Amino acid sequence: MLRLHKAQKAKSKRREGGPARMEEVIERLEEAFEKVAANKGAAGPDRQSIEYVRKHLHELLPELRAAIQGGTYRPGEIRRVWIPKAGGGQRGLGIPNVVDRMVQEAVRMVIEPEYEPTFHESSHGFRPNRSCQTAIAEARRYVEEGYEWVVDIDLEKFFDRVHHQRLMGRLSQRLKDKPLLALIGRMLKAKVVMPDGVKVSTEEGVPQGGPLSPMLSNIVLSELDEELARRGHRFVRYADDCNIYVRSERAGVRVMASVSSYIKRRLRLKVNGSKSAVAHPETRHFLGYRLQPTKGGRAEVMLSERSEKRLSERICELTPRTWGKSLKANISEVNGYLQGWLGHFGVCTPGIERSIQKADAHIRRRLRAITLKHWKTKRTIALRLIKLGIKRKTAWQSVYEGHHSIWALSHHPAVDRGLRNAYFAERGLVSLLDRFRKIWAAINAPAQIELSLGTMRS
């Protein structure tokens, strides 16, 4: 075991130190498959699932290695699927075959050490130890430094419009292994199978959905990062979302015109004029957040209007009044979503408490409606409310007086008191507000301890 560990360590050092080569891609195919399998993606056009490929991996790997080594490997077609975008419209995803994803992942693993150290520190998308949260932290710092205007640049259909010749030229500046460059070139040219079965040739673009496309997009846009840094701009980029922070509207208008011209002329890409703007950061949606400057010079990290709307919509989707399983099963699904939501939006500041308090109330009301629906008859509802401590007369009146729908009844004072907040908490419902306050307290605890210690010393 110790010898194996030392060999792996030596191999790792060789990878970090030497140039990326095709031999390394072949060497890392099995490791790449495990990463692809961990992502649990769908099958590509050949309909071979991850489970199928795993079952036949011992047969596939020797053939695949020989094909790549001999230059006869040709990537399969890519399946196009359309998914709804949070802001409306649809985004096209390209799903390669599992075997092709394995090869893409091996290529990514080999070329990443070549490029990662060269990327600008203000680039946060699809990079190790960087995320939406680190991007927002940097943007917040600029706003707090007094850069209270943002040049919000939206690249129109970026992933569909990447210029292949420019990308390959950019790659050849650092990658010297010609077979590896040829392999990447073939991946870019893979045909796309549309939902109606029509096959389309790929002359430009990097289809979203493959393991290699985020790395290639960063290589393309690192040229923009270099130009913005050369001009001395304060900017934050996450994939194709780029915000530049300036001190005045006039400066913002000038920067927007200059950078848009550079993107069109140099990168051969197009800025979406209808979605780009020069504005105050509190009015713009950036990675689901908006930044609200305050009088004290601080900036609140708030939910964007779009994120608030999506939270409300998702709550409705998770809590249909026609829910046929148990209440506990529904609460379990809601909790899973809320925990993931907090994982992303937990970096927000206390200014969002009102919004998440409203979301908590919305969840409980919908769970009340599900509970009433499960109780079915008015008589059962009244008897259950009495059992929960509501006075007999109040319970019967609340159910039988007037023509209350289930939804209207779910917010009746008697139902609110009977199915109180504790009723759902006892059944395991997570409170967004409580969890958020715990996260915020944990973030600020070290600073508070340090302040206390400083006071004691003085």
Side-chain angles (χ1 to χ4, degrees):
M1 283 295 288
L2 185 62
R3 204 180 303 158
L4 179 63
H5 176 69
K6 283 181 178 176
Q8 286 175 340
K9 203 169 179 183
K11 191 186 287 183
S12 176
K13 281 183 180 176
R14 188 173 71 249
R15 285 173 189 147
E16 288 173 12
R21 295 177 300 112
M22 182 70 93
E23 287 77 5
E24 283 188 68
V25 173
I26 295 166
E27 194 178 285
R28 302 188 74 172
L29 285 171
E30 194 166 359
E31 183 185 353
F33 173 75
E34 292 305 326
K35 295 204 173 199
V36 169
N39 288 331
K40 302 177 182 177
D46 66 2
R47 300 298 174 189
Q48 291 183 359
S49 65
I50 287 170
E51 291 73 24
Y52 176 88
V53 174
R54 185 185 291 282
K55 189 177 177 182
H56 297 87
L57 195 61
H58 64 287
E59 303 162 21
L60 287 168
L61 275 176
E63 293 177 15
L64 184 59
R65 284 175 177 142
I68 294 172
Q69 184 74 55
T72 59
Y73 165 76
R74 294 294 180 272
E77 293 157 350
I78 295 171
R79 181 162 64 92
R80 172 74 76 181
V81 295
W82 298 98
I83 60 169
K85 292 169 73 174
Q90 291 185 314
R91 174 182 284 111
L93 287 185
I95 303 178
N97 295 324
V98 174
V99 170
D100 296 327
R101 295 209 294 272
M102 172 170 48
V103 178
Q104 282 194 32
E105 176 61 23
V107 171
R108 185 201 66 76
M109 290 163 67
V110 168
I111 71 171
E112 186 178 71
E114 295 281 337
Y115 284 96
E116 179 56 34
T118 70
F119 290 151
H120 196 274
E121 61 182 8
S122 293
S123 166
H124 295 264
F126 311 112
R127 295 183 60 192
N129 304 314
R130 289 171 183 265
S131 62
C132 293
Q133 290 76 18
T134 59
I136 286 297
E138 184 179 359
R140 183 187 183 191
R141 189 173 73 246
Y142 294 145
V143 173
E144 290 179 344
E145 287 172 0
Y147 295 85
E148 294 186 3
W149 285 86
V150 61
V151 181
D152 185 356
I153 294 176
D154 181 273
L155 296 176
E156 190 173 300
K157 297 181 179 176
F158 165 72
F159 285 92
D160 296 331
R161 290 183 171 168
V162 170
H163 195 277
H164 285 178
Q165 194 174 344
R166 289 209 81 259
L167 171 57
M168 292 306 297
R170 188 89 173 152
L171 286 167
S172 64
Q173 291 173 7
R174 188 163 291 274
L175 301 180
K176 302 304 178 186
D177 188 290
K178 289 184 179 179
L180 179 55
L181 284 169
L183 174 61
I184 295 171
R186 287 195 292 270
M187 288 173 173
L188 291 174
K189 296 291 183 184
K191 288 187 176 180
V192 176
V193 182
M194 304 303 283
D196 59 4
V198 174
K199 295 179 184 179
V200 181
S201 296
T202 307
E203 300 303 326
E204 60 179 6
V206 181
Q208 284 178 277
L212 189 57
S213 61
M215 170 62 69
L216 295 181
S217 68
N218 272 336
I219 291 169
V220 170
L221 291 175
S222 64
E223 193 171 354
L224 174 62
D225 299 340
E226 290 162 12
E227 179 63 18
L228 294 177
R230 188 186 67 78
R231 297 183 185 191
H233 291 313
R234 287 158 178 80
F235 70 95
V236 179
R237 184 176 66 77
Y238 188 97
D240 57 336
D241 289 323
C242 183
N243 278 6
I244 306 167
Y245 294 86
V246 295
R247 289 192 184 274
S248 68
E249 184 178 14
R250 186 177 176 183
V253 171
R254 187 178 67 248
V255 168
M256 174 67 85
S258 174
V259 173
S260 296
S261 173
Y262 174 85
I263 289 169
K264 183 179 179 180
R265 176 175 43 82
R266 180 72 180 172
L267 302 184
R268 301 189 189 180
L269 296 168
K270 188 178 177 183
V271 173
N272 188 330
S274 63
K275 291 185 178 179
S276 302
V278 176
H280 287 297
E282 64 266 29
T283 66
R284 303 302 294 174
H285 170 100
F286 183 50
L287 306 176
Y289 305 88
R290 61 186 180 88
L291 295 168
Q292 176 79 56
T294 63
K295 288 181 181 178
R298 302 287 291 169
E300 291 267 18
V301 181
M302 309 287 283
L303 297 176
S304 71
E305 187 179 330
R306 197 186 301 173
S307 296
E308 287 196 42
K309 184 182 176 187
R310 181 57 188 147
L311 174 60
S312 178
E313 288 172 348
R314 189 66 183 131
I315 288 168
C316 291
E317 290 167 6
L318 289 169
T319 54
R321 270 167 272 169
T322 53
W323 180 260
K325 300 177 188 175
S326 69
L327 179 66
K328 280 191 175 181
N330 190 240
I331 286 172
S332 177
E333 284 208 14
V334 170
N335 283 349
Y337 172 72
L338 295 182
Q339 285 164 0
W341 188 92
L342 276 171
H344 183 82
F345 290 105
V347 294
C348 287
T349 50
I352 71 160
E353 286 195 359
R354 198 170 169 187
S355 295
I356 57 178
Q357 195 170 17
K358 185 179 173 184
D360 275 338
H362 188 203
I363 292 166
R364 287 191 296 266
R365 183 174 180 187
R366 293 191 66 85
L367 291 177
R368 287 186 187 104
I370 288 173
T371 304
L372 295 174
K373 191 79 173 175
H374 282 181
W375 289 347
K376 294 181 180 178
T377 66
K378 288 186 174 183
R379 185 174 185 276
T380 305
I381 291 170
L383 291 172
R384 291 292 183 101
L385 289 175
I386 291 165
K387 196 173 180 181
L388 288 166
I390 304 302
K391 290 181 181 178
R392 182 176 293 273
K393 184 179 178 181
T394 304
W396 289 108
Q397 281 180 344
S398 65
V399 173
Y400 281 97
E401 280 188 359
H403 297 282
H404 295 302
S405 66
I406 289 291
W407 181 242
L409 192 59
S410 69
H411 198 40
H412 191 283
V415 175
D416 283 345
R417 290 198 307 275
L419 296 172
R420 64 201 188 286
N421 297 358
Y423 179 89
F424 298 108
E426 287 162 7
R427 284 152 182 79
L429 180 66
V430 166
S431 165
L432 263 182
L433 184 60
D434 289 349
R435 288 290 178 95
F436 174 76
R437 283 175 173 168
K438 285 177 184 174
I439 290 170
W440 187 250
I443 290 169
N444 286 276
Q448 289 166 3
I449 291 167
E450 193 176 324
L451 184 64
S452 300
L453 288 171
T455 307
M456 286 168 67
R457 290 191 195 102
S458 60

